[in-house]
Amino acid sequence: MPPKAYRQLRFGDWALKLGFMTQEDLKYILSKKNISKQMIGQLCLEEGLIDQEDLAQIMAAQFSYRYVKLDGVIPEKLSKLVPVDLMARYKFVPYRKSGEQLTIAMAEPKNLLKLVDELEMLTDLEVSAVVASEHNIKKAISRIKTSRNMIDSSSDDMRLSVVKESDQGEYILSAEKVSTEESPIVKLVDSTILDAINKRASDIHIETTSKGIIIRYRINGMLHQATNPIDAKHQSPIISRIKVMSELDISEKRIPQDGRFKLNVSDRYIDFRISILPTIFGEDAVIRILDRESIAGRQGTFQLDSIGFAEYELLRIRRMIHAPYGMFLMTGPTGSGKTTTLYGALSEINSKDTKIITIEDPVEYQLEGIVQIPVNEKKGLTFAKGLRSILRHDPDKILVGEIRDPETAQIALQSALTGHMVFTTVHANRSFDVINRFMHMGIQTENLMAALNCIASQRLIRTLCECKTAHRPDEAELMESGLTPKLVKGYTFYAAKGCERCQGTGYRGRKAVIEIMEMDDEMRELFMSRSRITAIKQKARESGTVFLRRAALQEVFNGITTLREANRVTFVEVDG
C-alpha cells in the first residue's frame, strides 16, 4: 500500500511536479473536466499535452510505484504463469520473477488491491507491481495471445489474408488463395509465421531431415528451434502452401525457386521473401521476414543515434552522408543492418529543399517525404531500368538498394560522378573485397575511385543482458582470440548467463559495429596502383579507420558483449 503522503497529491499536481504540464495547462484541463466529466489523464491525452509514457510516469508517481518502459517480448515461461484473460481484464503483464517474488507491470495501479489476492493464490508467489503505459501493455498481451501454444493449437482465427499489390499500388486482400481442403496445413504455416513475428525473428527455416520437419527461427542472428520435429509426411503440403502464397510452381520440385508474398498482420503489412531449395529429403524453405515496423527505431523513425555506433564513428558517418555528391557504399552479409543504417542516413539528410528517390527490393519501410520505388522484375522494373528513370526526375540524393549487376553498377557510378549523392550496398565480406566485386562486373578502377567517398563495412553484435557475470578468460581463450594477457590487463570481461528476461540466452538486443574507410587522394592512388593490402590497411589506419575486429573487441572491453560473440562476427586478427 503506498504511503498516505503520496496519495494526497492528485494527478494534476504530479503532472506539474514532474514538469509534464504548466499551471495554465492544468487550469485549462480542469475547466474542460468540469464540462465533460472525463478523467484528467484522458483529457490530457486527447489534448496532446502528454503521451502514453508520460501518463504512466505520472500515475506511477501518484501511487508511489516504479515506472518502466515496457518493450520487447515477455518470456514464454513468465507469460504462462497467468491466464491471458486475467491480464486483459486488469491490464497487466508479468514483468519479472525473482525467487518467490513476481513483479507485474500494470497500466492502472489502483487495481492492484483487487488483483493481488487472486494472483498470489494462482501463482503461489508474492506479488509486487511496477507501472507501464497501457499502450505497451496491450501490445504485450496481444503478442502473448498470438504466440501461446501457437504451433500446437492453431485455430481458424489465426488465418492470415494473403495480400496482392495491384498496378495502382493499392493493397488488396486475396482470401481466395486459402484452400479449405488444406486447412490444417494452412493453419500450421500461418501460426508459424505469426509466432515468428511475435518473437521478432528475421527468418523462418523449414528443414526436412531423416527425423522429420524441423522449424527454426533466426532471432538476433542466431537460430533457435521453434517446435518438436513434425512428421515428414506433411513436408509436401507445407511447401506447397508456401509456394501458393508466393505464386510459385507447385509441380516443380527439382530446381530452386524464389518468390515473395505480403501479409496483413495486426493492421500492418509485412513483406516476406521465400527461397525453396531441393534437398535429399525433399524441399526446404527459408522465409525472410521484412517487418517494416520492427526495422524502425523505438520512436517509429530511423535515427543513426539508436543503432549503437561509437560516438567517433557517428561523427564520421554524418560527415560522409552530408557530402554534396559521390557514393556512400555499404557492405556486409545479409542481416548485418545495412538497410537500417542507410535509412537512418536518409532520415537525417531528408529536408524540404532536397529530393530523395530510392529504388529497393523490396521497400522495407516507408520514409515520409522520400520517393520510394519497389523493384518488380516480373513486370520488367529492374534496378537498372528504375535507376535510369530516377535520373530523369532530377533527384539530389539516390538510394540504390543493392548493386547486383554491371548495368546497375555503371549507372550508379555515372550518377555519383555527375553531381548526385548515391547511397548503395554491395554484398562482400570485407571493405577491401568491394573493389574486386566491381572489377568482376567490368567497372574500371579509375571510375570507381573517382566516384567513391567511402566504404563502410558493418556487422551486428549481440549485447549482454543485465544478468551477465564477470568472467576471466584463460590464456588459451585469449590466444584463440588473438590477444595476450598484457594487452587485456585492466579490462573486465563478462560471460552470458541467461535469465527469464533474455529467455535463457544471456543476450538482449544487438548493436552495430562499423568500419569506415574514407577515400582521399592517397588512398585512391594505392587502390589504382594495386598496392598490397597491408599498405592500404596501414594508410586507412593512419586516416582514422577502426577495423571491424578492433571495434568488436572494444565492445568486449566496454562490457557490452562477450569475447565469444566478438569472435563469432569478426575474423581473429592479431593486429586488430
Side-chain angles (χ1 to χ4, degrees):
M1 177 79 81
K4 191 175 181 182
Y6 283 100
R7 291 186 287 118
Q8 287 174 345
L9 285 177
R10 297 182 179 182
F11 182 93
D13 299 323
W14 276 111
L16 285 175
K17 188 173 182 178
L18 296 173
F20 290 115
M21 288 168 58
T22 64
Q23 194 71 51
E24 290 73 20
D25 292 334
L26 183 56
K27 284 179 182 177
Y28 171 70
I29 289 296
L30 289 173
S31 66
K32 286 205 72 173
K33 180 181 183 297
N34 292 333
I35 299 168
S36 65
K37 304 299 181 186
Q38 287 178 272
M39 300 289 287
I40 290 183
Q42 189 59 37
L43 277 171
C44 291
L45 282 174
E46 288 177 6
E47 293 294 325
L49 295 174
I50 59 172
D51 61 22
Q52 289 270 358
E53 297 304 321
D54 299 336
L55 176 64
Q57 289 183 61
I58 295 167
M59 291 182 72
Q62 184 184 10
F63 290 92
S64 191
Y65 290 108
R66 184 165 67 92
Y67 158 79
V68 295
K69 184 166 184 181
L70 195 66
D71 58 359
V73 179
I74 305 298
E76 193 173 350
K77 285 183 182 177
L78 202 55
S79 68
K80 284 184 175 179
L81 291 173
V82 185
V84 179
D85 292 344
L86 192 65
M87 296 183 211
R89 195 190 328 153
Y90 286 102
K91 297 177 185 174
F92 80 95
V93 288
Y95 178 66
R96 190 171 290 172
K97 181 178 175 288
S98 178
E100 299 301 309
Q101 177 94 18
L102 174 66
T103 304
I104 62 171
M106 297 192 74
E108 296 179 3
K110 62 185 178 184
N111 289 339
L112 182 62
L113 290 176
K114 299 178 188 175
L115 175 65
V116 69
D117 291 338
E118 189 172 352
L119 265 184
E120 288 184 346
M121 285 182 64
L122 185 68
T123 63
D124 201 24
L125 297 169
E126 187 181 337
V127 176
S128 63
V130 293
V131 175
S133 69
E134 185 174 339
H135 172 72
N136 282 342
I137 284 174
K138 283 183 175 177
K139 276 174 65 177
I141 292 172
S142 177
R143 288 194 194 106
I144 292 167
K145 278 182 178 177
T146 50
S147 65
R148 181 169 290 186
N149 301 322
M150 188 68 69
I151 304 300
D152 300 326
S153 56
S154 301
S155 59
D156 288 334
D157 60 358
M158 291 178 186
R159 185 73 55 83
L160 299 175
S161 299
V162 180
V163 177
K164 291 179 68 178
E165 194 166 355
S166 72
D167 294 336
Q168 291 76 33
E170 298 173 350
Y171 293 117
I172 302 171
L173 298 181
S174 177
E176 69 274 5
K177 287 200 164 207
V178 181
S179 169
T180 54
E181 292 178 19
E182 293 182 331
S183 184
I185 296 301
V186 169
K187 290 173 186 175
L188 175 65
V189 173
D190 289 355
S191 60
T192 300
I193 291 170
L194 274 172
D195 190 39
I197 292 168
N198 284 321
K199 290 178 177 171
R200 297 187 177 181
S202 60
D203 303 85
I204 302 169
H205 292 245
I206 300 171
E207 303 162 346
T208 310
T209 68
S210 58
K211 297 177 181 178
I213 302 164
I214 306 291
I215 298 176
R216 300 195 289 173
Y217 302 153
R218 188 174 293 281
I219 303 171
N220 285 338
M222 302 297 286
L223 284 171
H224 302 271
Q225 188 164 327
T227 63
N228 293 323
I230 299 168
D231 196 317
K233 69 181 181 182
H234 299 301
Q235 181 266 344
S236 184
I238 288 171
I239 299 299
S240 294
R241 164 62 181 164
I242 293 169
K243 285 182 177 180
V244 166
M245 294 169 80
S246 313
E247 298 183 329
L248 298 176
D249 186 354
I250 296 175
S251 62
E252 182 55 75
K253 299 179 186 293
R254 296 162 298 174
I255 60 172
Q257 294 188 68
D258 294 317
R260 66 181 59 192
F261 61 87
K262 192 189 304 284
L263 296 179
N264 181 358
V265 184
S266 301
D267 296 324
R268 72 181 192 269
Y269 295 101
I270 299 177
D271 289 292
F272 299 82
R273 278 193 281 197
I274 313 302
S275 180
I276 308 288
L277 191 69
T279 72
I280 57 171
F281 294 109
E283 291 176 294
D284 284 5
V286 173
I287 304 174
R288 183 82 193 274
I289 303 171
L290 300 170
D291 187 352
R292 302 173 187 182
E293 187 175 278
S294 70
I295 296 171
R298 289 182 183 178
Q299 290 78 27
T301 58
F302 291 94
Q303 298 175 328
L304 287 173
D305 308 70
S306 63
I307 299 172
F309 294 125
E311 190 62 33
Y312 168 69
E313 298 293 16
L314 197 55
L315 291 170
R316 297 179 78 210
I317 293 170
R318 285 186 168 136
R319 180 159 48 82
M320 290 286 103
I321 65 176
H322 282 95
Y325 54 84
M327 182 179 283
F328 184 97
L329 181 63
M330 288 209 71
T331 182
T334 301
S336 59
K338 301 187 298 294
T339 299
T340 307
T341 298
L342 289 179
Y343 277 0
L346 290 185
S347 297
E348 292 215 359
I349 62 173
N350 187 17
S351 61
K352 291 181 180 178
D353 58 359
T354 302
K355 181 158 187 176
I356 303 174
I357 306 181
T358 77
I359 181 160
E360 306 167 63
D361 184 23
V363 173
E364 294 189 23
Y365 190 88
Q366 293 171 4
L367 300 169
E368 193 173 341
I370 292 176
V371 178
Q372 294 175 273
I373 303 166
V375 165
N376 191 336
E377 292 188 358
K378 286 183 181 178
K379 296 188 177 179
L381 178 55
T382 61
F383 274 115
K385 287 183 180 178
L387 190 49
R388 277 204 193 90
S389 297
I390 284 172
L391 293 173
R392 299 188 195 109
H393 283 249
D394 189 29
D396 299 295
K397 319 284 183 184
I398 303 168
L399 167 65
V400 182
E402 184 185 343
I403 292 179
R404 299 173 180 168
D405 56 79
E407 190 179 5
T408 307
Q410 193 66 53
I411 302 167
L413 284 175
Q414 287 300 320
S415 304
L417 291 168
T418 53
H420 302 91
M421 183 64 193
V422 178
F423 296 85
T424 189
T425 70
V426 170
H427 280 290
N429 287 325
R430 301 184 306 165
S431 304
F432 306 100
D433 297 336
V434 170
I435 311 301
N436 291 331
R437 285 294 308 277
F438 276 97
M439 288 175 65
H440 290 153
M441 292 183 199
I443 302 299
Q444 293 183 352
T445 310
E446 292 80 1
N447 289 341
L448 178 61
M449 287 298 111
L452 266 183
N453 291 351
C454 71
I455 305 172
S457 183
Q458 182 172 303
R459 299 291 186 277
L460 290 177
I461 197 162
R462 291 184 297 167
T463 54
L464 282 162
C465 178
E466 296 165 6
C467 63
K468 65 184 180 182
T469 57
H471 165 67
R472 178 175 288 181
D474 56 30
E475 196 167 334
E477 188 179 350
L478 290 175
M479 285 182 66
E480 287 172 6
S481 306
L483 300 169
T484 64
K486 186 178 178 181
L487 280 173
V488 302
K489 190 176 180 181
Y491 292 113
T492 301
F493 289 78
Y494 291 91
K497 182 183 177 184
C499 65
E500 289 179 338
R501 195 169 171 81
C502 59
Q503 299 186 45
T505 63
Y507 298 94
R508 287 196 78 213
R510 292 187 291 178
K511 68 175 297 188
V513 289
I514 197 165
E515 167 186 307
I516 304 172
M517 193 159 57
E518 295 185 45
M519 292 294 153
D520 57 18
D521 292 340
E522 208 173 324
M523 185 69 81
R524 290 186 176 99
E525 285 177 14
L526 287 172
F527 274 111
M528 286 190 288
S529 61
R530 305 284 180 88
S531 297
R532 294 173 57 141
I533 291 292
T534 51
I536 296 172
K537 285 187 75 172
Q538 181 59 35
K539 174 63 182 70
R541 191 180 284 109
E542 290 170 4
S543 300
T545 298
V546 177
F547 294 109
L548 277 175
R549 178 62 180 173
R550 173 55 56 188
L553 286 176
Q554 193 57 54
E555 299 298 341
V556 177
F557 298 152
N558 291 341
I560 303 298
T561 192
T562 62
L563 193 55
R564 179 178 291 182
E565 181 68 5
N567 293 343
R568 184 182 71 85
V569 299
T570 60
F571 280 110
V572 174
E573 296 177 2
V574 177
D575 63 351

